[in-house]
Amino acid sequence: MTKSLEAHDKLLKEVFSDEYQFQIPDYQRPYSWTTEQTGDLLSDLVGAMRDHGTKDKDSSFYFIGSVVLIKSDRNPMSDVVDGQQRLTTLTILFAVLRELLPNKSDGITSFLYKKGLGISDDEPNEYRLRAIDEDAIFFRDHIQEPGGIQRLIETTEKLEDSRLRFKENADLLMSELSKLDHVECLDLLKFIVYNCSIVVISTPNLDAAYRIFSVLNNRGLDLSPTDILKAEILGDIRKISGEIKSKEYAKKWIALERHMGRDDFSDVFSHVRAIYAKKKQNTILTKEFKEYVRKDISADKLFDNVIAKYAEIYGWLKNCDFAATEGSETINEQATHLGKVDWKDWLPPAMLFFNKFRNKPHLIAQFLVKLERLTYFLFVTKAGINIRIVRYAELMKEIEKEDFDGESGALVNLSLSDEEKRNFIRALDGDIYRNLPKARAALILRLESLKSDGSKKQQFRNVSIEHVLPQTPSEGSEWLEIFPDENIRLDWTHKLANLVPLHIRKNPAASNYDFVTKKGVYFTGKDGTASPFILTQEVRSFSEWTPEVLIVRQKNLLNVLIKHWDLSQSV
């Protein structure tokens, strides 16, 4: 009878032995440990080794961590579900020690591979750890084989991603271990082999393994929900179309994930789930993705027609770099301002519309203009997540209708009622700074963009939102003379009219200067020149800053937003 789970505390001499032959499955991400993590591991090992030298030789073992494997009872072949980074780094460490301890090279090599007899070509070396397919040969030749680690360190080849991590960590380990004398290097080797242990957890299948490591490891798993889906999708392709096609899609998957970045790629799956489910996520992503997205589509088409296509659209919307003969400038401009909202619930309807009308960018541009209005309405009126999800879900249902031709004016859930428009205007006319701390920068920068003539694109980085009339005028300040009524002063302090963007936060002491001094010192560019922000330049054009000025300015700024978002009402 096959056991469902086994867990054993193993010394490293038992882990890197004939008992196990580790392989990194296609669904795993490539090796990603940085020199910081590798340096921490080495520092811990050296420190523990030195501490161990002062104690009884039979004292307790040093625990390195755990690995989770998919492994049958007797077969040494093991898929590494959790622990890839640690096993790979230890392999590099063994390779470096072999280089520094040539008189122990045969013994150390036994931790890297079991030598073939060399009599026949079908009896090759059996490597203790096999990297993912795209790195397997490189890892073998530059780390596991004798002399490989030195070639890796000396190479001038331009390396990227996991191969660059291999080299950087090999460089670090070689540099740090070279500082030890021969005796300490040998002591470290003995300590690692005979006194360091790993808990090896073996399960017969991926589902059981995932349940285990999701409980055991809360510091950041080697495997994410996206990796689980990858394993299942590639497994389905393998069952139906064979190993060659599965490996082809594994390479496509890795290339797409590397291009986008791991976090963004994972976000795509969450947004695709939302497109298909049209409701709040109630359980783990893997389960809901299988339930709503995978149920009626083959694995290869799922990748080609869903994952890859939506990943491309997500990239355009996030990076604001869509290119087309028409509409692209508006699309990228709208995506820029939608991206300033601190939640991303707007992305699923945007991605859905984009996918359906990707050959009609003028329709996408029109849709995103209206989607920005809806999104900022929900943002500024502080709509809760459930309200947002329901609204966007109903919008997606309209978009999916067969008779919907792309004219966004026909989408009921994209429109705002007169009551919603009034609520929107009321919020915009209120205490923006204190009531809307997450929205105030986005609103000011949206105004800045709308006030611009479009002749140049501002890069809004390191922007702070500042008050013209200060929040706490000092005693005896002329501000208290201009605004003698405290209630009136407080009412105006945090409204749109009194807020301006600055590139770099100035000396806070200057924020309480009188108006003339403040606009000459505080509201300037980096070198004392005119501020690059139009809203700030406008403030500098005034000779005084009074309640009367603020009344007019507030009305003008509100009208800019009302016109842009078409907040005029029928009655």
Side-chain angles (χ1 to χ4, degrees):
M1 179 177 177
T2 302
K3 296 179 182 178
S4 60
L5 181 150
E6 287 189 356
H8 300 285
D9 191 4
K10 299 279 188 177
L11 293 176
L12 284 203
K13 71 182 183 68
E14 300 172 294
V15 173
F16 290 89
S17 71
D18 292 352
E19 188 176 347
Y20 299 99
Q21 193 170 352
F22 302 108
Q23 63 180 5
I24 310 303
D26 289 340
Y27 53 78
Q28 285 279 21
R29 58 173 166 161
Y31 179 65
S32 62
W33 261 22
T34 65
T35 53
E36 180 180 0
Q37 292 153 308
T38 299
D40 287 344
L41 175 63
L42 179 62
S43 178
D44 289 345
L45 289 172
V46 172
M49 179 266 294
R50 288 171 175 164
D51 186 50
H52 177 77
T54 66
K55 298 179 179 179
D56 183 347
K57 297 300 182 185
D58 294 327
S59 59
S60 61
F61 298 116
Y62 182 73
F63 176 63
I64 291 181
S66 62
V67 297
V68 180
L69 310 174
I70 299 174
K71 182 181 181 298
S72 63
D73 290 342
R74 294 182 178 85
N75 191 340
M77 189 60 67
S78 312
D79 281 358
V80 179
V81 178
D82 186 38
Q84 174 200 174
Q85 310 298 327
R86 187 175 294 107
L87 291 172
T88 303
T89 305
L90 288 169
T91 300
I92 299 172
L93 176 58
F94 279 132
V96 171
L97 285 169
R98 180 177 59 183
E99 194 72 23
L100 295 173
L101 299 169
N103 59 328
K104 301 294 182 183
S105 62
D106 286 347
I108 298 174
T109 293
S110 69
F111 299 122
L112 299 173
Y113 59 82
K114 177 183 178 181
K115 290 184 179 180
L117 295 177
I119 298 172
S120 171
D121 291 340
D122 61 0
E123 294 176 333
N125 297 332
E126 293 181 5
Y127 296 92
R128 305 299 188 200
L129 175 66
R130 188 181 190 281
I132 60 172
D133 278 351
E134 64 183 60
D135 288 331
I137 295 175
F138 183 92
F139 189 75
R140 180 194 70 194
D141 293 346
H142 291 82
I143 292 169
Q144 293 163 307
E145 288 289 346
I149 201 79
Q150 198 61 41
R151 289 194 299 274
L152 177 61
I153 290 171
E154 294 173 355
T155 186
T156 57
E157 181 184 354
K158 188 176 185 297
L159 302 176
E160 296 179 342
D161 300 316
S162 52
R163 298 185 183 191
L164 179 58
R165 301 288 91 75
F166 294 149
K167 175 174 169 52
E168 290 174 339
N169 289 327
D171 288 344
L172 172 74
L173 291 170
M174 182 65 77
S175 173
E176 293 301 311
L177 289 175
S178 294
K179 297 174 184 177
L180 306 181
D181 59 31
H182 183 274
V183 173
E184 269 206 307
C185 269
L186 184 56
D187 286 345
L188 179 63
L189 173 63
K190 292 176 181 178
F191 177 75
I192 291 172
V193 172
Y194 296 112
N195 294 93
C196 290
S197 68
I198 289 178
V199 172
V200 180
I201 302 169
S202 302
T203 68
N205 56 64
L206 185 62
D207 286 341
Y210 179 66
R211 286 196 297 272
I212 293 165
F213 70 64
S214 64
V215 172
L216 291 180
N217 192 341
N218 60 7
R219 293 182 300 164
L221 302 173
D222 284 355
L223 210 60
S224 71
T226 307
D227 295 319
I228 300 293
L229 292 169
K230 177 183 178 184
E232 295 173 347
I233 292 167
L234 294 179
D236 286 349
I237 293 175
R238 187 181 296 110
K239 289 176 187 175
I240 297 172
S241 304
E243 190 72 23
I244 294 176
K245 191 166 184 179
S246 174
K247 290 184 181 297
E248 172 192 335
Y249 273 85
K251 289 180 179 178
K252 287 182 182 180
W253 191 295
I254 291 171
L256 183 57
E257 183 176 24
R258 281 182 168 176
H259 173 71
M260 294 190 69
R262 190 168 172 83
D263 290 342
D264 283 344
F265 190 58
S266 295
D267 286 345
V268 170
F269 284 79
S270 295
H271 296 315
V272 169
R273 184 219 65 87
I275 290 170
Y276 281 78
K278 297 180 183 63
K279 65 178 184 178
K280 187 177 181 180
Q281 185 174 325
N282 293 316
T283 185
I284 59 173
L285 175 63
T286 50
K287 181 178 180 180
E288 293 205 0
F289 196 90
K290 285 187 285 186
E291 180 180 354
Y292 295 109
V293 184
R294 289 193 62 196
K295 58 180 180 179
D296 295 322
I297 188 170
S298 64
D300 55 347
K301 286 185 171 59
L302 174 65
F303 180 83
D304 291 331
N305 298 337
V306 179
I307 296 170
K309 283 188 176 181
Y310 276 120
E312 181 180 39
I313 293 169
Y314 174 89
W316 287 332
L317 290 169
K318 186 174 188 296
N319 300 319
C320 309
D321 60 359
F322 177 68
T325 55
E326 60 173 342
S328 60
E329 185 173 352
T330 301
I331 290 171
N332 294 331
E333 172 78 5
Q334 296 307 123
T336 297
H337 294 289
L338 281 162
K340 289 183 171 63
V341 176
D342 76 333
W343 39 259
K344 305 304 174 189
D345 304 327
W346 61 271
L347 271 163
M351 291 164 64
L352 175 64
F353 192 99
F354 215 126
N355 189 47
K356 186 171 183 178
F357 299 102
R358 63 166 58 211
N359 295 323
K360 297 179 179 180
H362 68 286
L363 293 179
I364 298 171
Q366 293 169 9
F367 173 78
L368 290 181
V369 169
K370 290 184 170 59
L371 183 64
E372 184 210 313
R373 176 180 65 176
L374 171 62
T375 299
Y376 271 74
F377 161 70
L378 296 171
F379 192 27
V380 170
T381 57
K382 297 193 283 191
I385 184 171
N386 292 324
I387 293 174
R388 300 197 305 264
I389 288 175
V390 169
R391 183 67 171 261
Y392 287 128
E394 292 303 313
L395 175 59
M396 287 190 284
K397 290 176 184 177
E398 290 187 89
I399 294 170
E400 283 184 333
K401 289 180 179 178
E402 288 187 13
D403 59 352
F404 176 58
D405 61 3
E407 290 298 328
S408 52
L411 296 169
V412 174
N413 285 283
L414 193 61
S415 303
L416 297 183
S417 68
D418 283 349
E419 181 61 25
E420 288 173 331
K421 289 177 181 179
R422 285 192 290 271
N423 291 338
F424 196 0
I425 294 171
R426 192 177 301 116
L428 292 171
D429 197 24
D431 187 330
I432 291 296
Y433 194 85
R434 291 184 302 187
N435 289 346
L436 303 172
K438 294 180 178 180
R440 64 195 182 203
L443 284 172
I444 294 296
L445 293 177
R446 193 63 188 106
L447 271 171
E448 176 68 24
S449 176
L450 292 170
K451 297 280 281 185
S452 169
D453 61 6
S455 60
K456 63 178 181 179
K457 296 294 182 184
Q458 294 282 1
Q459 294 298 317
F460 299 128
R461 296 190 180 96
N462 301 318
V463 175
S464 63
I465 304 303
E466 299 294 334
H467 298 78
V468 181
L469 163 64
Q471 299 185 71
T472 54
S474 56
E475 188 175 349
S477 166
E478 75 166 12
W479 290 113
L480 299 180
E481 297 177 11
I482 299 172
F483 294 86
D485 187 315
E486 183 178 7
N487 291 329
I488 293 176
R489 175 168 56 79
L490 292 175
D491 185 50
W492 279 113
T493 300
H494 303 295
K495 287 193 171 186
L496 280 175
N498 192 53
L499 303 176
V500 293
L502 294 179
H503 258 313
I504 299 174
R505 186 173 294 280
K506 306 285 184 173
N507 180 354
S511 66
N512 284 329
Y513 286 172
D514 62 74
F515 181 64
V516 174
T517 305
K518 188 173 185 178
K519 71 178 184 176
V521 175
Y522 202 43
F523 298 144
T524 58
K526 297 178 182 179
D527 304 318
T529 57
S531 170
F533 293 102
I534 293 171
L535 291 172
T536 312
Q537 291 176 28
E538 287 180 347
V539 170
R540 295 185 73 213
S541 69
F542 287 97
S543 60
E544 58 182 1
W545 200 251
T546 64
E548 293 73 23
V549 169
L550 284 165
I551 290 170
V552 174
R553 181 170 171 79
Q554 181 77 1
K555 182 178 179 181
N556 290 339
L557 293 179
L558 272 177
N559 283 337
V560 170
L561 294 175
I562 288 170
K563 180 179 179 182
H564 170 65
W565 282 322
D566 187 17
L567 300 181
S568 57
Q569 297 152 51
S570 57
V571 290

